[in-house]
C-alpha cells in the first residue's frame, strides 16, 4: 500500500499513482472538510498549461479576438494559483497574485468582460474531464480562496442590480449582509489554513533524523520520501519541532511505508496540525448529543436484555420467578460490559488516545451485541491500534469464562437447579453463530428426535442464568472479533497485516455473513448489515506505521483469531431446521 493511500485514509478515501520520469505523482481523494470544496492541482505547471491553452482556445472561439486580453489575464491568474499548490519558491508570491486578481480594479467595460469570461470558464471547468483530473488533490487554503472569489463576484453582481422593486431591494440587502459575513469568516479562516512551503521544510530533514530524497505535495502539506536514521520515538519530537519552527505553525507527522514495484520506501507525511484538529473536531462524538445517544442506547440495551431473558422462563412463571431467574443473567451481562470497558479506557489512557462515548448495541436475540466507540485523537503507533481492541476483547473473554465456570462449580453442572432458564430449540434454528452455546449446554433431542434427559419436553434445555450470560458473552465477543471494518477484529487485522490485507479480510467476512443471512439466520443478517455499513471502512492511520508489533503481539492475535473461529464456526450442536433455506425462527412457542 502506498504512503499516499495510507495518509489519505486519515482524511478520507484515496487513490495514488506515481510517474517519476514525466510528472510529479498525483494523489486523488475525497475533499477533507466540505463536499463542495475546491481541489487544487498536484501536477506540474506543464500539465496545467495544456489545460489553460485548451481553455484559451475555446474562449477565443466564443468571445472573439477582442477578449483575448481577458483570457490571458485568466491564464496568468490560474498559473499563479497552480504554482502555489505545486509547491515552489514563489508560493507566497503566487498567493498574492491570486488576491490581486480577485480584487481587480478595472473599469466597467473590462469588469463586464472579465465577469463573462470567469462565468464561462467555470462552465468549462465543470465539463472538462482533464481539468477534473488536474484538480485532483484537495487543499483547504485553495478552497477558501475560491469561496472568497465567489463571494466577491456575487457581491459585485448584487451591487449592479437595480433597486426598482423595494421588496427585491430588501431581500438583496439581506443576501449582501450574509455574503459579507461569510467573506469575513473566510478571511479569518485564511489566516489559519495556509499551505506549507515545502522548499523551506526540506532543510529540516537530515542524516540525524529522517533523510529525505524526494518530496511531493499532498493537500496543504507534503510527503517526504527517504529513510529513518534513528528510532521514531527519538526522531518525531525533534523533527516536529524543527518543521514547526520553519513553517511558522504547528505540524503533525506520520511515518509510513510506501511500496512500489516490490520496492519498499519509508515516507514522512507532514500536515498542518490546525487542519487535523478541525477534522477530528468534525467527527467528534463527545458532545451533548453524543452522550445523550449513548444513554438512549444503553437504556434500550437494558430493555432488550430484559425482554430476551423473559423468553427463556419456564411456563407459568411468576414475577418473582422472573426476578430470581433474570437478575443473574442481567448482572452477568453488566459485569462483562463493565470489565471490558474499564480495560479499554485504561489501555487507551496509557497511549494518550481519547475515546468517544461507548455505545451499546441492542439485540432482541442475544440482548446485547457488544460495545463500540471511536477514536477522537491520533493513534501514536500500531501498538496502540492493536492493544486497545485486544484489551476489550481479551477482558470480555476472560470475564465470560469466569462467570460460566463459576456457575458450573456452584451448581455442579450447567443445568442451574431451581433458578434455571430454559433455552428453546428454536433459539438455534438456522443460527450457526450460536452453535457453540448449544454444544456446551447440550442438544434438545438426539438424532432420532427423542428428547434427551436434561431437556424438558415442551420447554427446552435448562441452563444456569450466570452460565448462560457467560456463554453469550463469549459469542458476542467473537462477533466483535470478526475482521470487518472498524470492529475490534478489523482494527486488530489492520495493525497486524496492513490496510490492503485487512480490506480483503473484511470483504470476505462480509460475504460469509451474507451467505449465513441467505440461509435464514437473522443474527447473521443483522450483524452483517451492522458491521458492513455502520462499522465499515478503515481506521485512521497511526503516526508510526513502520515499527513492527513484535512476536508477542503476533501470538496474541493468533490466539484471539483461533478462539473466534472455534466459537463461531458451526460446532455440530445438532438442532437446526430441516431445510437449509427454511424459515428463520421468530420468537414463538414449541
Amino acid at each position: 500500500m502506498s504512503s499516499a493511500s495510507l495518509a489519505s485514509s486519515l482524511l478520507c478515501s484515496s487513490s495514488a499513482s506515481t510517474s517519476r520520469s514525466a510528472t510529479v505523482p498525483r494523489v486523488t481523494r475525497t475533499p477533507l472538510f466540505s463536499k463542495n470544496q475546491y481541489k487544487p492541482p498536484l501536477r506540474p505547471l506543464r500539465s496545467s498549461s495544456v489545460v489553460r491553452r485548451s481553455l484559451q482556445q475555446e474562449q477565443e472561439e466564443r468571445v472573439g479576438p477582442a477578449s483575448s486580453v481577458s483570457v490571458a489575464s485568466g491564464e496568468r491568474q490560474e498559473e499563479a494559483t497552480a504554482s502555489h499548490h505545486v509547491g515552489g519558491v514563489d508560493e507566497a508570491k503566487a498567493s498574492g497574485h491570486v488576491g490581486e486578481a480577485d480584487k481587480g480594479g478595472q473599469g466597467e467595460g473590462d469588469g463586464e468582460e472579465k465577469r463573462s469570461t470567469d462565468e464561462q470558464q467555470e462552465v468549462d471547468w465543470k465539463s472538462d474531464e482533464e481539468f477534473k483530473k488536474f484538480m485532483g488533490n484537495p487543499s483547504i487554503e485553495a478552497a477558501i480562496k475560491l469561496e472568497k472569489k465567489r463571494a466577491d463576484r456575487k457581491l459585485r453582481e448584487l451591487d449592479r442590480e437595480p433597486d426598482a422593486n423595494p421588496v427585491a431591494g430588501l431581500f438583496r440587502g439581506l443576501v449582501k449582509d450574509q455574503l459579507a459575513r461569510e467573506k469575513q469568516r473566510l478571511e479569518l479562516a485564511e489566516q489559519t489554513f495556509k499551505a506549507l512551503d515545502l522548499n523551506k521544510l526540506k532543510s529540516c530533514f537530515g542524516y540525524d533524523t529522517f533523510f529525505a530524497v524526494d518530496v511531493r505535495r499532498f493537500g496543504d502539506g507534503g510527503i517526504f520520501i527517504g529513510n529513518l536514521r534513528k528510532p521514531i520515538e527519538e526522531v518525531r519530537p525533534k523533527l516536529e519541532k524543527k518543521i514547526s519552527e520553519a513553517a511558522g505553525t504547528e505540524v503533525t507527522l506520520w511515518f509510513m511505508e510506501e511500496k512500489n514495484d516490490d520496492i519498499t520506501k519509508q515516507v514522512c507525511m507532514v500536515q498542518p496540525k490546525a487542519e487535523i484538529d478541525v477534522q477530528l473536531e468534525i467527527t467528534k462524538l463527545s458532545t451533548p448529543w453524543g452522550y445523550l445517544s449513548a444513554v438512549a442506547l444503553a437504556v434500550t440495551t437494558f430493555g432488550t436484555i430484559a425482554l430476551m431473558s423473559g423468553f427463556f422462563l419456564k411456563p407459568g412463571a411468576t414475577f418473582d420467578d422472573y426476578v430470581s431467574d433474570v437478575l443473574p443473567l442481567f448482572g452477568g451481562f453488566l459485569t462483562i460490559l463493565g470489565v471490558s470497558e474499564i480495560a479499554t479506557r485504561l489501555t487507551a489512557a496509557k497511549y494518550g488516545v481519547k475515546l468517544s462515548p461507548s455505545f451499546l448495541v441492542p439485540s432482541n436475540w442475544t440482548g446485547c451485541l457488544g460495545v463500540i466507540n471511536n477514536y477522537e485523537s491520533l493513534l501514536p503507533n500500531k501498538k496502540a491500534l492493536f492493544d486497545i481492541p485486544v484489551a476489550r476483547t481479551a477482558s470480555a473473554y476472560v470475564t465470560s469464562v469466569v462467570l460460566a465456570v463459576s456457575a458450573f462449580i456452584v451448581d455442579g453442572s450447567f443445568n442451574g437447579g431451581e433458578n434455571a432458564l430454559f433455552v428453546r430449540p428454536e433459539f438455534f434454528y438456522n443460527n450457526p453463530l450460536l452453535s457453540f452455546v448449544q454444544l456446551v449446554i447440550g442438544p434438545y433431542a438426539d438424532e432420532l428426535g427423542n428428547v434427551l434427559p436434561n431437556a424438558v419436553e415442551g420447554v427446552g434445555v435448562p441452563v444456569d442464568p450466570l452460565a448462560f450470560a457467560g456463554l453469550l458473552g463469549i459469542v458476542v465477543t467473537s462477533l466483535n472479533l470478526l475482521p470487518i471494518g472498524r470492529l475490534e477484529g478489523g482494527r486488530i487485522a489492520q495493525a497486524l497485516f496492513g490496510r490492503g490485507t485487512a480490506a480483503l479480510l473484511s470483504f470476505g467476512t462480509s460475504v460469509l455473513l451474507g451467505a449465513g443471512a441467505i440461509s435464514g439466520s437473522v443474527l447473521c443478517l443483522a450483524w452483517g448489515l451492522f458491521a458492513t455499513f455502520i462499522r465499515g471502512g478503515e481506521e485512521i492511520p497511526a503516526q508510526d506505521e513502520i515499527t513492527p508489533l513484535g512476536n508477542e503481539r503476533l501470538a496474541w492475535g493468533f490466539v484471539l483469531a483461533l478462539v473466534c473461529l472455534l466459537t463461531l464456526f458451526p460446532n455440530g450442536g445438532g438442532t437446526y431446521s430441516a431445510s437449509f433455506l427454511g424459515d428463520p425462527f421468530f420468537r414463538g412457542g414449541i
Side-chain angles (χ1 to χ4, degrees):
M1 179 72 66
S2 69
S3 62
S5 177
L6 288 171
S8 61
S9 64
L10 168 71
L11 310 176
C12 279
S13 61
S14 69
S15 64
S17 62
T18 59
S19 176
R20 304 307 308 161
S21 60
T23 61
V24 177
R26 175 175 58 84
V27 181
T28 60
R29 57 189 169 94
T30 306
L32 175 59
F33 297 102
S34 170
K35 293 182 179 179
N36 300 320
Q37 87 171 34
Y38 172 80
K39 298 180 179 180
L42 191 61
R43 288 189 179 181
L45 294 179
R46 178 174 54 186
S47 299
S48 64
S49 62
V50 175
V51 178
R52 291 196 298 275
R53 282 197 296 271
S54 176
L55 293 174
Q56 183 177 359
Q57 290 172 0
E58 290 181 295
Q59 295 303 322
E60 291 174 352
E61 291 175 2
R62 290 187 176 91
V63 301
S67 61
S68 60
V69 175
S70 177
V71 175
S73 175
E75 177 182 335
R76 287 194 299 271
Q77 177 182 344
E78 177 61 24
E79 183 176 354
T81 306
S83 64
H84 172 76
H85 294 289
V86 170
V89 178
D90 297 330
E91 282 189 352
K93 296 181 180 179
S95 300
H97 294 331
V98 173
E100 292 172 5
D102 291 342
K103 295 178 181 178
Q106 300 178 354
E108 186 67 23
D110 292 341
E112 287 290 338
E113 191 173 304
K114 183 178 184 303
R115 182 168 64 91
S116 176
T117 302
D118 289 344
E119 290 175 353
Q120 185 59 50
Q121 193 175 53
E122 285 194 15
V123 173
D124 295 337
W125 288 351
K126 293 176 182 178
S127 61
D128 192 332
E129 293 298 327
E130 182 63 26
F131 190 79
K132 290 179 182 179
K133 296 178 182 178
F134 175 69
M135 306 290 283
N137 189 51
S139 166
I140 298 179
E141 182 189 24
I144 294 173
K145 288 184 179 297
L146 183 61
E147 292 301 321
K148 279 181 60 181
K149 179 180 177 181
R150 289 176 176 173
D152 285 334
R153 188 180 67 248
K154 291 178 181 179
L155 286 172
R156 291 196 300 269
E157 291 174 354
L158 291 173
D159 288 335
R160 283 193 293 268
E161 293 180 3
D163 295 331
N165 189 334
V167 177
L170 177 62
F171 177 76
R172 188 163 53 254
L174 294 175
V175 174
K176 288 175 61 178
D177 290 341
Q178 182 178 359
L179 286 172
R181 289 194 296 269
E182 179 183 354
K183 183 179 177 182
Q184 291 178 355
R185 289 195 297 269
L186 291 171
E187 290 174 347
L188 291 175
E190 190 177 15
Q191 299 175 4
T192 302
F193 301 109
K194 292 288 186 182
L196 302 178
D197 187 343
L198 301 185
N199 286 329
K200 291 182 178 180
L201 304 188
K202 288 180 182 179
S203 61
C204 299
F205 295 85
Y207 290 99
D208 60 335
T209 54
F210 185 94
F211 183 70
V213 297
D214 196 5
V215 60
R216 60 177 177 263
R217 170 68 67 184
F218 186 84
D220 286 340
I223 295 177
F224 294 83
I225 304 171
N227 52 80
L228 278 166
R229 295 309 176 96
K230 290 183 179 180
I232 290 181
E233 56 269 18
E234 299 180 22
V235 170
R236 186 166 61 191
K238 183 177 180 180
L239 198 53
E240 275 187 350
K241 181 179 179 181
K242 292 177 66 176
I243 295 177
S244 297
E245 292 175 353
T249 183
E250 290 188 78
V251 298
T252 302
L253 305 185
W254 287 263
F255 293 91
M256 307 173 184
E257 290 185 341
E258 178 182 66
K259 295 182 180 180
N260 287 318
D261 300 329
D262 296 329
I263 299 177
T264 301
K265 298 180 180 179
Q266 295 177 338
V267 302
C268 175
M269 190 186 79
V270 183
Q271 288 292 318
K273 186 176 182 296
E275 297 184 11
I276 305 303
D277 290 342
V278 170
Q279 173 65 17
L280 293 173
E281 185 67 24
I282 290 174
T283 58
K284 184 179 179 180
L285 293 176
S286 297
T287 62
W289 283 110
Y291 286 110
L292 184 62
S293 300
V295 172
L297 282 174
V299 172
T300 304
T301 303
F302 295 159
T304 56
I305 293 175
L307 288 174
M308 181 270 298
S309 305
F311 291 122
F312 302 111
L313 294 177
K314 59 187 177 183
T318 64
F319 180 76
D320 291 338
D321 295 330
Y322 177 83
V323 172
S324 60
D325 294 348
V326 170
L327 279 184
L329 178 64
F330 201 88
F333 269 113
L334 292 183
T335 301
I336 297 170
L337 294 173
V339 171
S340 64
E341 184 67 15
I342 292 173
T344 304
R345 297 278 171 179
L346 290 177
T347 307
K350 170 186 173 182
Y351 288 102
V353 177
K354 296 179 181 179
L355 298 179
S356 71
S358 296
F359 299 93
L360 298 178
V361 184
S363 169
N364 69 333
W365 201 283
T366 60
C368 176
L369 285 175
V371 185
I372 61 172
N373 50 29
N374 292 342
Y375 299 141
E376 296 189 342
S377 64
L378 298 179
L379 298 166
N381 47 50
K382 287 196 298 184
K383 292 180 180 179
L385 180 61
F386 180 87
D387 288 355
I388 295 175
V390 166
R392 182 182 293 282
T393 52
S395 61
Y397 269 140
V398 171
T399 307
S400 299
V401 171
V402 169
L403 290 178
V405 172
S406 298
F408 177 80
I409 294 175
V410 171
D411 298 331
S413 68
F414 281 117
N415 299 137
E418 297 181 357
N419 294 329
L421 296 174
F422 289 87
V423 183
R424 302 176 180 182
E426 292 94 336
F427 182 68
F428 304 106
Y429 279 179
N430 282 348
N431 255 321
L433 297 177
L434 297 173
S435 60
F436 171 75
V437 178
Q438 187 178 10
L439 179 67
V440 174
I441 68 175
Y444 177 79
D446 59 19
E447 296 178 355
L448 300 177
N450 300 315
V451 177
L452 296 177
N454 285 340
V456 179
E457 188 170 2
V459 180
V461 179
V463 60
D464 185 274
L466 204 59
F468 193 39
L471 294 176
L472 286 180
I474 292 174
V475 171
V476 168
T477 303
S478 296
L479 288 176
N480 282 271
L481 264 177
L482 289 174
I484 301 179
R486 289 174 294 133
L487 293 180
E488 308 297 6
R491 290 168 170 171
I492 293 173
Q494 184 174 313
L496 286 174
F497 309 116
R499 301 176 188 282
T501 303
L504 292 176
L505 289 173
S506 179
F507 175 77
T509 308
S510 296
V511 170
L512 290 177
L513 287 176
I518 293 175
S519 71
S521 171
V522 178
L523 188 56
C524 283
L525 175 62
W527 190 244
L529 292 174
F530 175 83
T532 302
F533 296 102
I534 304 299
R535 299 300 289 173
E538 296 178 344
E539 192 54 78
I540 60 177
Q543 291 184 273
D544 172 13
E545 295 209 344
I546 295 179
T547 305
L549 289 176
N551 293 331
E552 182 179 350
R553 287 179 172 81
L554 290 176
W556 268 106
F558 175 79
V559 170
L560 291 175
L562 184 62
V563 174
C564 176
L565 289 175
L566 291 177
T567 53
L568 293 185
F569 190 78
N571 292 281
T575 305
Y576 297 96
S577 62
S579 172
F580 179 73
L581 296 177
D583 295 333
F585 165 56
F586 295 101
R587 303 296 187 189
I590 297 177

